[in-house]
Amino acid sequence: MTATHTATPVAQPATPASTGTPARRWLRLAGRAVAYLLFLVAALAALVLVVAPLATGSQTYTVLTNSMAPKYAPGTFMVVKPTPFADLRVGDIITYQIASGKPAVISHRIISVGTTQSGERVFTTKGDNNSLADAGPVHAQQVRGKLLYAVPYVGFVANSLGQTNRGAILPIAAVGLIGFGAFSMVQGAWGKKRTKKESGQGA
Amino acid sequence: MNPARSAARRRPRRVRAAAVVAGGLLAAAASGLAAGPASADGGPAMELSSDGTHFSSNREPVVFPNLSGMVPGDFRRGTVWVRNSGTAPAEISLAVTSARGNAVLTQSLELAAGSHGGPAATVPLAAPGGCRSVFHGLALAPGQTARLELALGLDASATNATRRENAAFGLLFLMQEAGAGATIQACHAPDGTAAPAARTTLPQLAGTSGTAVEAGTAPAAPEAAGAPSGVGHQEDPAPDPAPHSNVVGNDQRPGQLLLLAGGLFCAAALAKRRRRNP
């Protein structure tokens, strides 16, 4: 018994991936991979630099000097979370006001715990890269928080975006993203409508 | 015999005790005192005593029972015991703060402090509102007590401007954990400047020197401060450079939120478009 099989050519619908030369296909794939990678980086950056500080009620700082180098070199982005004074220990990195109630702050490591004659707990702090401890004891009312985590290099970018004279960059970027999203939605809806129309005409 | 003291005895009537002797007592500035030992994690805890027997961590002892009627060249002695009641080795620092009163009188006063085998020094008092470190780095083992001998003297060359004037000063003790590789001075307030004694954030108002001084005939008395044994004169310390900020805050919260919202919207729009047009 013999069986015959007749191959019938079937017209396959063209998909974006299957169109064009192999080189174009590879280019398209590479572009998509890069886009995914960029999206992943952006999501991670948003998580680490924006979402986590907001969620934990932390304040972010940028390191300006070498006093905490090499681990926290200039440009390091520091996330400092408000922490009860009693929970702070030797080895913690704290951010404290130089003058109580004023914005200038220092981020240094606690190297010693002390007490005043009235029983008040105070800390001695020092920059990791400094040979001398900070001159005065740090009191509870000076402490803004404890270092939660730090991200190297990105601090200057974050800081420059937050400067007063460049304060419009973030809102403009946000509006741009929202506009691009809206444009994409409209374009997608319009494309779908056109496809339907074309398929209706074809039938 | 001490010439300063003999001069003081020669002129008893000239010394007016009319000035307010608000003290000389290391006043119990209880209103500014915080409670209890400092550290809950076994850190240092300091206790002070004026008799070597009764120690307290929240009550300031009387160190100078009587400081009224001082004349140029005169000096008064005082003693205070400091105990490390914590569980870790610690170091003691002492500073003297000038609270209020006549500036000339204040700056004519000297404080000497020392202990056997420990650091010792004599320092002139700073101008009212100022602070001066006396010594730092006196080591105390856990449970150990140090007896500090203090002497407050009025410079024999004090001028007439100090007559019938008053001055107030405070003693500021600071204990810190030993072995940190660095010793801080007690003379720093939270704002990074010298600590005036009246500050409420750093309750160090420990003594009031009410003095009435008749000047102009005081003989030279270089040992006016009655320095305890082993006490040397300390150079006026140069003020510490003001500390500089090493970080700057990134104040961009509203912008960040907006950017985040924009990014989320954009991502959602792209995802929706992708579903519609696969």
Side-chain angles (χ1 to χ4, degrees):
Chain A
M1 195 163 82
T2 56
T4 53
H5 175 77
T6 308
T8 308
V10 177
Q12 298 287 333
T15 61
S18 61
T19 56
T21 61
R24 286 192 67 181
R25 278 208 304 274
W26 277 110
L27 206 61
R28 195 182 296 271
L29 274 174
R32 187 170 294 177
V34 169
Y36 274 121
L37 196 66
L38 285 177
F39 182 75
L40 201 66
V41 169
L44 194 67
L47 182 71
V48 170
L49 306 180
V50 181
V51 178
L54 286 173
T56 57
S58 303
Q59 171 67 43
T60 62
Y61 296 92
T62 296
V63 178
L64 298 176
T65 72
N66 277 309
S67 66
M68 290 296 284
K71 194 168 182 185
Y72 305 104
T76 301
F77 181 86
M78 299 177 100
V79 178
V80 175
K81 184 184 178 189
T83 306
F85 193 70
D87 293 349
L88 298 173
R89 297 285 180 271
V90 170
D92 289 344
I93 294 172
I94 57 169
T95 298
Y96 66 93
Q97 292 174 319
I98 299 170
S100 185
K102 293 185 179 173
V105 289
I106 291 177
S107 289
H108 278 170
R109 194 181 297 277
I110 298 172
I111 59 167
S112 168
V113 181
T115 178
T116 67
Q117 65 205 59
S118 59
E120 186 191 3
R121 193 180 187 223
V122 293
F123 294 133
T124 306
T125 54
K126 187 173 92 66
D128 289 352
N129 200 29
N130 290 350
S131 53
L132 295 175
D134 299 338
V138 178
H139 297 252
Q141 64 267 35
Q142 292 174 264
V143 176
R144 311 312 302 157
K146 171 185 166 182
L147 178 68
L148 192 60
Y149 62 85
V151 185
Y153 309 120
V154 299
F156 284 140
V157 179
N159 182 247
S160 63
L161 290 176
Q163 293 302 309
T164 311
N165 55 347
R166 300 173 194 171
I169 292 179
L170 281 183
I172 288 172
V175 168
L177 279 174
I178 292 170
F180 178 69
F183 174 75
S184 297
M185 286 180 81
V186 169
Q187 196 185 32
W190 184 73
K192 191 177 179 184
K193 199 173 175 182
R194 194 176 58 178
T195 310
K196 270 185 183 173
K197 201 173 177 181
E198 283 173 1
S199 60
Q201 281 174 350
Chain B
M1 178 178 288
N2 187 331
R5 298 201 68 166
S6 56
R9 286 197 194 99
R10 281 197 302 272
R11 298 175 279 115
R13 291 180 184 174
R14 301 173 69 182
V15 176
R16 300 196 179 218
V20 180
V21 185
L25 305 179
L26 280 186
S31 59
L33 299 181
S39 166
D41 59 344
M46 177 169 56
E47 290 181 318
L48 299 175
S49 170
S50 58
D51 58 8
T53 306
H54 302 95
F55 286 86
S56 173
S57 62
N58 55 12
R59 199 156 46 85
E60 295 175 352
V62 175
V63 177
F64 295 105
N66 181 18
L67 290 177
S68 65
M70 290 184 75
V71 294
D74 196 2
F75 72 95
R76 307 292 164 87
R77 289 185 185 277
T79 307
V80 63
W81 282 261
V82 186
R83 182 164 70 188
N84 175 11
S85 56
T87 56
E91 291 179 345
I92 298 287
S93 302
L94 174 64
V96 57
T97 59
S98 304
R100 60 181 182 274
N102 180 271
V104 180
L105 173 59
T106 303
Q107 291 175 286
S108 300
L109 293 168
E110 289 182 318
L111 181 76
S115 71
H116 293 292
T122 300
V123 295
L125 268 62
C131 178
R132 192 151 282 162
S133 175
V134 182
F135 67 75
H136 56 86
L138 171 61
L140 282 183
Q144 188 184 353
T145 301
R147 173 180 168 150
L148 297 179
E149 300 289 348
L150 305 170
L152 183 79
L154 179 61
D155 191 350
S157 59
T159 66
N160 285 345
T162 61
R163 295 175 66 183
R164 299 173 192 150
E165 295 292 348
N166 291 281
F169 69 96
L171 298 177
L172 178 59
F173 291 89
L174 179 73
M175 176 178 280
Q176 70 170 128
E177 216 171 293
T183 303
I184 55 173
Q185 297 184 2
C187 210
H188 293 274
D191 61 358
T193 61
R199 289 186 64 86
T200 55
T201 50
L202 196 60
Q204 73 276 33
L205 182 56
T208 304
S209 163
T211 59
V213 179
E214 290 228 358
T217 59
E223 61 210 299
S229 60
V231 173
H233 196 283
Q234 178 176 294
E235 289 294 316
D236 195 8
D240 292 321
H244 294 291
S245 183
N246 72 331
V247 293
V248 62
N250 305 318
D251 184 19
Q252 52 196 41
R253 194 146 292 187
Q256 284 178 341
L257 278 173
L258 205 59
L259 187 66
L260 191 65
L264 287 174
F265 178 73
C266 186
L270 288 174
K272 192 167 184 182
R273 179 181 169 180
R274 191 161 193 79
R275 279 199 302 274
R276 277 181 177 167
N277 307 308

